Amino acid sequence: MNFVSFLVENLQTFLSYTGFSNVTPGHIVMIAIGLFFIYLAISKEFEPLLLIPIGFGILVGNIPFKDVGLQIGIYEEGSVLNILYQGVTQGWYPPLIFLGIGAMTDFSALISNPKLMLIGAAAQFGIFAAYILALLWGFDPNQAGAIGIIGGADGPTAIFLSSKLAPELLGAVAISAYSYMALVPVIQPPIMRLLTTKKDRVIRMKPPRAVSQTEKIMFSIIGLLLTCFLVPSGLPLLGMLFFGNLLKESGVTRRLAETARGPLIDTITILLGLTVGASTQATQFITWNSLKIFGLGAFSFIIATAAGVLFVKFFNLFLKKENKINPLIGNAGVSAVPDSARISQLLGSEYDPSNYLLMHAMGPNVAGVIGSAVAAGILLGFLG
């Protein structure tokens, strides 16, 4: 009889440790969201390199367990997931991502037509609009700054800034930023169609001029000095971005450039995506603030897209006919590289199949990467 009682007691103990005994409705909701992310990545091919790690990370982070010091959860100090997550909370991963982005980015379109930098700057208006609205919704200035940066459509920048200004919002900000990056093909086209006319959409731009290797090398160095002298707090991101680009353009560090844009950025993307997804434990993530952040993130992204398109239309008033810019590349001012530039091309080709906009859209697109990092530096400098 004692043996039977012993077995029953052990079975009850075992069952109390299973996920079935500890599951909550919140866990089910988050697991459904993780599965939805994986579905979008595989079925719709929306940013699969980001959404699959994040979606699977959400599943990992929402496996229910009994909190008795097992050190398996991402928020339990000393656990494996917690150690990997420090790359997010301490801001290590984003600069390494920027190193890889720099090593794979060609700034030729921007160098050949520097005025496209203004479009990237205009698109950052969404960041500051969302910052103001977040303040009005009751967030403190640091939290508002972390939320506003979602409008830059730059996941690593959003993670870097929120880890410094509002670590308690990091998971919600990161998931929101990457979600809207993945939804670029869904969100941007209706805004672009709404704000442009048929005449706007068929504007043909001059082919970009050829850019020499010397110009590209000088751009990396001068770009670093100008942006970081202006906003020193953006150095971790901008420094690594321009360093990666110099590795690419110098022509003598090919192995380093290939490592930065290949194995290094792939490894960091896996770790960042998985741990950011795992940080969405239902007990920590499902709050009213998280819902507000998703709403503010959508507002920020919509405003950023609209600001880029409208700025081009305004700027065209001062340009000669032969120098006018197609407003369909205004959406590319957000730094979702290269997806927002592809949207410019796809939408433009619907109205004029022979009008090749991609090479032009890459100018404001890479300017948006720089612009979002500068905006993050400004917010960090004022609020940090």
Side-chain angles (χ1 to χ4, degrees):
M1 192 68 172
N2 289 336
F3 179 69
V4 173
S5 299
F6 174 77
L7 287 178
V8 170
E9 183 179 337
N10 276 269
L11 180 60
Q12 290 175 335
T13 301
F14 168 76
L15 291 175
S16 72
Y17 278 84
T18 66
F20 299 104
S21 295
N22 295 282
V23 69
T24 67
H27 289 114
I28 301 300
V29 170
M30 291 310 303
I31 287 173
I33 292 172
L35 293 173
F36 181 62
F37 275 29
I38 294 172
Y39 165 77
L40 289 178
I42 296 174
S43 178
K44 305 296 183 181
E45 296 189 15
F46 288 174
E47 291 285 355
L49 298 182
L50 295 174
L51 289 193
I52 285 183
I54 291 174
F56 197 82
I58 293 173
L59 302 184
V60 170
N62 285 281
I63 300 296
F65 60 89
K66 193 170 185 179
D67 189 8
V68 289
L70 296 175
Q71 289 193 324
I72 56 175
I74 197 167
Y75 293 108
E76 293 181 281
E77 189 172 348
S79 72
V80 174
L81 283 175
N82 179 262
I83 292 169
L84 295 176
Y85 190 50
Q86 288 179 24
V88 176
T89 58
Q90 300 299 319
W92 304 334
Y93 294 155
L96 293 175
I97 293 283
F98 263 66
L99 175 65
I101 292 173
M104 65 174 65
T105 300
D106 186 352
F107 287 101
S108 296
L110 185 60
I111 297 170
S112 67
N113 193 357
K115 62 177 176 285
L116 297 179
M117 176 72 78
L118 298 175
I119 303 174
Q124 308 314 310
F125 180 75
I127 294 173
F128 297 100
Y131 171 74
I132 294 170
L133 186 58
L135 290 175
L136 295 175
W137 275 19
F139 290 96
D140 66 43
N142 280 20
Q143 291 176 329
I147 294 167
I149 203 68
I150 296 171
D154 190 331
T157 301
I159 289 171
F160 178 79
L161 189 64
S162 57
S163 71
K164 303 298 181 184
L165 295 181
E168 70 279 7
L169 302 182
L170 199 156
V173 169
I175 294 296
S176 181
Y178 279 116
S179 297
Y180 293 125
M181 284 175 65
L183 292 174
V184 159
V186 176
I187 297 173
Q188 288 196 324
I191 301 170
M192 296 161 68
R193 287 190 177 96
L194 179 66
L195 299 177
T196 57
T197 64
K198 279 191 174 182
K199 184 178 178 182
D200 291 330
R201 298 168 198 153
V202 295
I203 290 176
R204 286 180 173 266
M205 299 173 62
K206 287 182 178 179
R209 67 173 178 83
V211 177
S212 68
Q213 182 186 20
T214 302
E215 288 179 283
K216 293 179 183 179
I217 293 171
M218 293 303 296
F219 181 82
S220 299
I221 297 169
I222 295 172
L224 168 71
L225 296 176
L226 285 180
T227 56
C228 291
F229 265 74
L230 180 65
V231 188
S233 48
L235 180 60
L237 299 178
L238 292 165
M240 296 298 269
L241 176 73
F242 287 116
F243 174 50
N245 192 245
L246 181 61
L247 292 178
K248 172 182 180 291
E249 303 298 355
S250 67
V252 294
T253 52
R254 184 173 301 170
R255 283 173 51 193
L256 300 183
E258 289 176 352
T259 298
R261 64 174 173 256
L264 178 62
I265 196 171
D266 289 344
T267 301
I268 300 301
T269 298
I270 291 169
L271 295 175
L272 185 147
L274 184 69
T275 53
V276 163
S279 72
T280 63
Q281 280 187 7
T283 52
Q284 303 276 341
F285 187 79
I286 299 182
T287 65
W288 280 113
N289 274 350
S290 294
L291 293 177
K292 287 181 181 179
I293 288 168
F294 271 83
L296 286 166
F299 170 78
S300 178
F301 190 69
I302 290 169
I303 294 298
T305 302
V309 175
L310 291 175
F311 174 79
V312 175
K313 289 172 68 74
F314 173 75
F315 195 36
N316 277 343
L317 297 176
F318 305 94
L319 298 176
K320 296 179 181 178
K321 184 177 180 179
E322 64 272 15
N323 292 328
K324 289 189 183 296
I325 301 170
N326 191 312
L328 290 180
I329 73 169
N331 74 299
V334 300
S335 61
V337 180
D339 278 3
S340 54
R342 288 196 190 113
I343 296 303
S344 304
Q345 171 63 32
L346 290 173
L347 206 58
S349 64
E350 287 183 17
Y351 299 92
D352 182 356
S354 63
N355 193 5
Y356 191 66
L357 292 177
L358 182 62
M359 57 187 174
H360 301 292
M362 285 304 299
N365 210 186
V366 297
V369 176
I370 299 171
S372 64
V374 169
I378 292 172
L379 290 170
L380 186 58
F382 278 100
L383 303 172

